[in-house]
Amino acid sequence: PLIAETGGQNAMIVDSSALAEQVVADVIASAFDSAGQRCSALRILCLQEDIADRTLTMLKGAVKELTIGRTDRLQVDVGAVITEEAKANIEKHIEKMRAAGRRIEQVELAGDTSKGTFVPPTIIELDSIRELEREVFGPVLHVIRFRRSDMDRLIDDINSTGYGLTFGLHTRLDETIAHVTSRIRVGNIYVNRNIIGAVVGVQPFGGRGLSGTGPKAGGPLYLGRLVQKAPVPSFPGSVHADQAVLDFALWLDGEGETKLAEQVRELGSASALGLEIELPGPVGEKNLYGLHARGRILVLPKTRTGLFSQIGHALATGNTVVIGAATDGDVALAKLPKSVAERIQRPADWKTEGPYSGALVEGSPEEIRAANQAIAALPGPIVLVQAASTAEIEAGTAYSLNWLLEEVSTSINTAAAGGNASLMTIG
């Protein structure tokens, strides 16, 4: 098994209701702690245009107060980047932005920082997220302005980067929190706080898409990915009843597949899709753990039974099914109920229709190995593949539902949103 957690094009959205002083403190920590060399570090700050100038003025002033130097000295805020190569890559990016006419603000290096691999904290103003081709791993913060009416387009731009590690939101509006967090596609969401420093057991950590495979470090599914037979976490079942699962089971009954129909119903009952629980954490902070659909699941069956089982697993976890191999069950699929048919795609060539959020494979060891090699060769994110023999599928022990779900951690600084009422009741 492979668990991968990679980098991120991590963004923070700040609207006009946010407290500017807190925004600046959280941005400084998120973008420049560890010289920006954290996978979770803030890369793109999105400021609502109504408050952009004031916030930027405060932010640039705060950056100029940072002390750069050797980090064995307590008074130093920002240290060096890890290698000469890293320094050269960051400086190349900054010069590219400068040549493109972008406004750039930097702290001047002085004293011992003229030697070694120091890069000054840098703020670069951009017109669009699309100007960034990849993550810049260092003390470089990109800033864009947005109109309130363009919030959804901004969220789409963030999602379209393909990365999905951390995301921050500063707002005092509950409806904005609900709307943005429901649409953003990342593993860890932070509201009215910085976006670094996830705590094991409090904010399980890990991304999606180009930012990782899951499951999350410090989360309930992590250990199970490392053993032969994964233990079943004590999640409540039937959190989210998906109509497509029920309709698919009824359709299987009509096709004479009563055993498979019962298996699909059991999958629907066992799936923890839609689960959201609150994790223990410090007072003044609310930490939530949720399980969402992963997205598009590639299925490569060998048999009719395998095809129907794979569809059942994907539907039970709220996903879209992409069928990449022909079986003797294909003819029957033309008669699927609408709720199921809408969730199934059948491309001419699955190798050109990615990216995928997971894969289910049926076959012999040799066939499974060949499928894994083909999936690994796809551009884009690393795909979490589950493989099984036909016998395992018929026995109903083929795939883990939990690996078809996406874990999302949300950490909310409740004290920042106008005060935590629970604090007032103490004593």
Side-chain angles (χ1 to χ4, degrees):
L2 169 69
I3 298 174
E5 188 273 294
T6 56
Q9 200 65 286
N10 311 309
M12 177 186 289
I13 291 178
V14 179
D15 76 2
S16 59
S17 72
L19 181 63
E21 290 79 3
Q22 183 174 346
V23 169
V24 170
D26 289 341
V27 168
I28 291 290
S30 300
F32 302 123
D33 273 13
S34 307
Q37 296 170 113
R38 296 185 185 221
C39 53
S40 57
L42 178 61
R43 308 294 179 205
I44 306 168
L45 175 63
C46 309
L47 298 174
Q48 187 172 330
E49 62 180 11
D50 310 70
I51 48 90
D53 286 337
R54 177 173 179 265
T55 306
L56 262 177
T57 298
M58 294 174 63
L59 179 60
K60 291 175 180 178
V63 169
K64 289 179 180 178
E65 296 299 316
L66 296 175
T67 302
I68 307 162
R70 286 175 40 176
T71 50
D72 58 353
R73 299 171 183 170
L74 292 178
Q75 69 269 31
V76 167
D77 301 303
V78 181
V81 297
I82 191 168
T83 63
E84 288 284 356
E85 181 184 8
K87 178 184 177 182
N89 287 336
I90 297 167
E91 289 177 339
K92 182 179 179 181
H93 170 74
I94 295 170
E95 290 309 311
K96 178 181 177 182
M97 293 293 102
R98 199 186 305 278
R102 297 298 168 226
R103 184 180 301 174
I104 297 175
E105 187 87 13
Q106 285 186 301
V107 177
E108 289 190 15
L109 296 178
D112 293 343
T113 57
S114 60
K115 305 172 184 177
T117 57
F118 293 94
V119 175
T122 303
I123 297 174
I124 304 175
E125 296 185 50
L126 304 178
D127 291 332
S128 169
I129 291 174
R130 297 187 185 94
E131 294 180 54
L132 295 175
E133 298 174 357
R134 55 175 297 172
E135 178 187 23
V136 180
F137 200 74
V140 179
L141 176 65
H142 304 89
V143 179
I144 66 168
R145 301 162 188 251
F146 71 95
R147 295 178 180 177
R148 180 77 190 191
S149 58
D150 290 335
M151 177 83 79
D152 281 328
R153 186 182 304 170
L154 175 64
I155 295 170
D156 289 341
D157 284 348
I158 294 170
N159 289 338
S160 68
T161 66
Y163 292 95
L165 190 53
T166 62
F167 169 80
L169 173 65
H170 269 267
T171 179
R172 293 188 174 209
L173 305 177
D174 288 343
E175 59 268 33
T176 299
I177 295 174
H179 179 73
V180 175
T181 57
S182 70
R183 295 201 65 239
I184 202 73
R185 298 289 175 259
V186 300
N188 285 68
I189 300 171
Y190 299 95
V191 179
N192 292 329
R193 52 154 293 178
N194 65 49
I195 68 171
I196 57 174
V199 178
V200 171
V202 179
Q203 299 117 17
F205 187 77
R208 61 192 293 168
L210 294 173
S211 295
T213 63
K216 284 181 174 294
L221 304 182
Y222 196 78
L223 184 61
R225 186 75 175 116
L226 303 176
V227 296
Q228 290 287 343
K229 185 173 176 59
V232 179
S234 56
F235 293 145
S238 300
V239 174
H240 176 78
D242 194 315
Q243 186 61 44
V245 178
L246 304 178
D247 291 346
F248 186 51
L250 283 173
W251 179 82
L252 287 171
D253 279 328
E255 291 292 308
E257 300 282 0
T258 54
K259 182 180 177 181
L260 265 174
E262 186 57 32
Q263 285 184 5
V264 169
R265 290 190 179 94
E266 290 176 359
L267 291 173
S269 297
S271 173
L273 175 67
L275 172 80
E276 184 172 89
I277 56 176
E278 186 169 350
L279 300 178
V283 174
E285 193 172 276
K286 185 176 184 179
N287 293 286
L288 303 173
Y289 171 86
L291 292 172
H292 302 189
R294 269 185 168 263
R296 300 172 74 237
I297 303 299
L298 172 66
V299 301
L300 297 175
K302 294 293 292 183
T303 64
R304 176 186 173 96
T305 299
L307 171 65
F308 294 160
S309 175
Q310 290 173 347
I311 292 174
H313 279 80
L315 293 179
T317 44
N319 294 298
T320 298
V321 185
V322 182
I323 302 175
T327 72
D328 58 2
D330 287 0
V331 174
L333 295 183
K335 300 177 289 181
L336 282 172
K338 182 180 179 182
S339 64
V340 180
E342 289 175 342
R343 297 264 291 279
I344 293 180
Q345 301 171 4
R346 191 63 186 268
D349 182 2
W350 63 267
K351 295 178 183 178
T352 63
E353 295 295 324
Y356 302 107
S357 302
L360 301 177
V361 180
E362 175 192 11
S364 65
E366 294 75 20
E367 291 168 329
I368 289 169
R369 186 176 300 110
N372 267 289
Q373 289 172 340
I375 293 169
L378 295 174
I382 300 170
V383 179
L384 195 159
V385 180
Q386 296 188 66
S389 66
T390 302
E392 289 172 317
I393 291 173
E394 291 175 345
T397 60
Y399 309 113
S400 169
L401 286 172
N402 289 332
W403 305 151
L404 294 171
L405 292 168
E406 197 84 65
E407 299 173 285
V408 177
S409 294
T410 304
S411 181
I412 304 170
N413 180 1
T414 55
N420 183 356
S422 65
L423 293 174
M424 304 175 189
T425 64
I426 297 175

